[in-house]
Amino acid sequence: MVRTKMIIQYDGTNYHGFQRQINAHTVQQEIEQCLYKLTAEKITITSAGRTDAGVHALGQVIAFDSDSTIPPERFDLALNTILPPDIRALKSELAAPDFHPRYEAIQKQYRYMIYREKEQAIFFRNYACCYSRELNVKAMQGACALIEGKHDFKAFCSTGSSAKTSERNVYKCSLREKGPFLILDISANGFLYNMVRIITGTLLKIGRGRQKHDISEIFACQERSMAGPTAPPQGLYLAAVEYRN
Amino acid sequence: MVRTKMIIQYDGTNYHGFQRQINAHTVQQEIEQCLYKLTAEKITITSAGRTDAGVHALGQVIAFDSDSTIPPERFDLALNTILPPDIRALKSELAAPDFHPRYEAIQKQYRYMIYREKEQAIFFRNYACCYSRELNVKAMQGACALIEGKHDFKAFCSTGSSAKTSERNVYKCSLREKGPFLILDISANGFLYNMVRIITGTLLKIGRGRQKHDISEIFACQERSMAGPTAPPQGLYLAAVEYRN
């Protein structure tokens, strides 16, 4: 039995999120079915993090055990021959027998895309938050700087989270303009449920000049109601996951 | 009874093309159903051109007659309240009682998008032809210049075309690089069936240095087999339709 670590990319549009569910088409189920076709083994994969319905991944990390003759570093190629066109294996390699993509992650990076034009917005509706109103990008960038660092992100977390603590260390939170897009890149030692989408919703409110409470106030009071709304899932991408070594 | 002219935009991914068909979901059917909800009239729309399954429109033109109290210039707003998110009405206005969007078109413009990177190609699979191999763009641009002008485009037409003549006047055929994309813009007084996709397939073959017969040779012999393959529908956009006045 050998454990394989694999980096995968997916377009989440046509899936009910990553995690296996009864009566819903999910990324996990699709990959496990393809692994079954490939190996005739009933393989259960673990992942670095669930993604919600409509959320995408540029570099999700999964792991699984197999007795197959396919070597770990060739599993990506083998899997790509049968994966649907909206899921790709980018890289695979041998992992330690106890490697777990979530528990051992030391850093995760998310990206959030905002499409700012009215024109042709229908072509980006599944891949960005389409937001054509005027935004004060400088003010949003100022708020990004305040989000960096170690804080209690309780106010930026949806109810239903099972996290033990809501303290997280945000290594980077940067917002840049690129053509018709605003791109938010945020990396941290971990993320609470909906944290990036609530941060984005708050930044958009700041950009509109409609956010009453500034970032430091929200951190001080830790009230979800003081932060902005949860931005839509379509703009969110799990960009990368880092491990020691 | 008043005739309305309307410019519409659609993402063709989830449709079996524009034209109404039995047992298939098409753009025409979707718009006619929405017009029925709006007016309770069984309206049949005409269009500037059918688009195949997977082909998109930035500026398709349709026309229809209605006895509704909705004024022609407000039909776009009314329709947008009930159209699905992958179809938008961009503009509507009063048309002459005998206006026909296809017969009266004096110029049509198509766009073809080629995505040249391997990275993140899955996110463009429905909106571009993903082609990551090396291309000689200069050679392709040289070929574009030869396509401009009045020619017999018989070799660039799929069988099954009902056109009386295969002579067309190409006003513009230009290829430019924009970020990870190659964008082909082509306008003419009319297009044969699959003409833009066959031109694109031929240009890609030229870009690869694999096209035996050059453009002038193909025009001289008028053999479909001398031109390149038909490029996939996902990269094609009906960009605009022009009328007199």
Side-chain angles (χ1 to χ4, degrees), chain B:
Chain B
M1 197 70 104
V2 157
R3 188 159 291 188
T4 296
K5 172 191 172 192
M6 189 181 276
I7 303 177
I8 58 162
Q9 187 167 88
Y10 50 84
D11 173 345
T13 305
N14 298 318
Y15 296 94
H16 287 85
F18 182 84
Q19 199 181 28
R20 180 178 274 278
Q21 286 176 47
I22 293 163
N23 293 329
H25 188 216
T26 69
V27 178
Q28 178 176 6
Q29 190 181 345
E30 189 64 50
I31 294 174
E32 288 175 352
Q33 277 170 3
C34 289
L35 285 172
Y36 181 75
K37 280 186 207 165
L38 219 52
T39 64
E41 296 171 291
K42 287 205 170 170
I43 293 174
T44 298
I45 61 176
T46 56
S47 77
R50 305 163 195 171
T51 52
D52 283 335
V55 174
H56 315 288
L58 302 174
Q60 167 75 284
V61 176
I62 62 169
F64 56 88
D65 291 327
S66 170
D67 282 322
S68 159
T69 54
I70 303 167
E73 68 280 6
R74 304 274 298 173
F75 246 115
D76 52 353
L77 288 171
L79 204 55
N80 278 337
T81 61
I82 51 171
L83 278 171
D86 50 7
I87 307 179
R88 286 294 90 183
L90 300 186
K91 200 192 166 197
S92 66
E93 61 185 329
L94 178 68
D98 61 346
F99 171 75
H100 191 292
R102 179 147 46 104
Y103 303 146
E104 275 157 67
I106 55 168
Q107 186 183 318
K108 271 190 207 171
Q109 192 186 320
Y110 279 94
R111 173 167 290 180
Y112 198 97
M113 303 280 288
I114 296 160
Y115 181 73
R116 299 181 70 190
E117 290 179 6
K118 261 195 178 157
E119 285 73 39
Q120 305 177 19
I122 60 167
F123 298 102
F124 300 100
R125 73 193 190 286
N126 294 324
Y127 304 100
C129 165
C130 295
Y131 197 92
S132 60
R133 281 172 282 181
E134 195 81 27
L135 288 170
N136 181 341
V137 176
K138 280 265 179 299
M140 295 168 78
Q141 287 167 332
C144 281
L146 297 173
I147 286 165
E148 290 184 351
K150 201 181 270 187
H151 304 284
D152 189 325
F153 284 90
K154 203 177 157 190
F156 296 93
C157 176
S158 287
T159 52
S161 170
S162 58
K164 285 172 206 149
T165 157
S166 46
E167 190 185 89
R168 294 291 183 275
N169 195 351
V170 172
Y171 305 122
K172 182 189 162 187
C173 181
S174 81
L175 186 75
R176 62 194 161 96
E177 300 180 76
K178 193 180 176 188
F181 296 98
L182 266 181
I183 304 176
L184 176 73
D185 281 309
I186 179 163
S187 65
N189 60 348
F191 289 87
L192 300 168
Y193 186 52
N194 279 347
M195 181 168 145
V196 180
R197 290 167 56 189
I198 298 170
I199 287 174
T200 305
T202 308
L203 290 174
L204 285 171
K205 229 173 153 183
I206 290 169
R208 291 287 295 156
R210 300 265 170 90
Q211 173 66 27
K212 278 186 206 160
H213 312 283
D214 66 21
I215 298 291
S216 353
E217 252 185 284
I218 304 173
F219 280 141
C221 301
Q222 297 183 14
E223 287 286 340
R224 170 69 188 88
S225 61
M226 294 176 78
T230 307
Q234 292 81 1
L236 186 60
Y237 297 74
L238 172 52
V241 189
E242 303 292 333
Y243 299 90
R244 228 172 296 275
N245 324 320

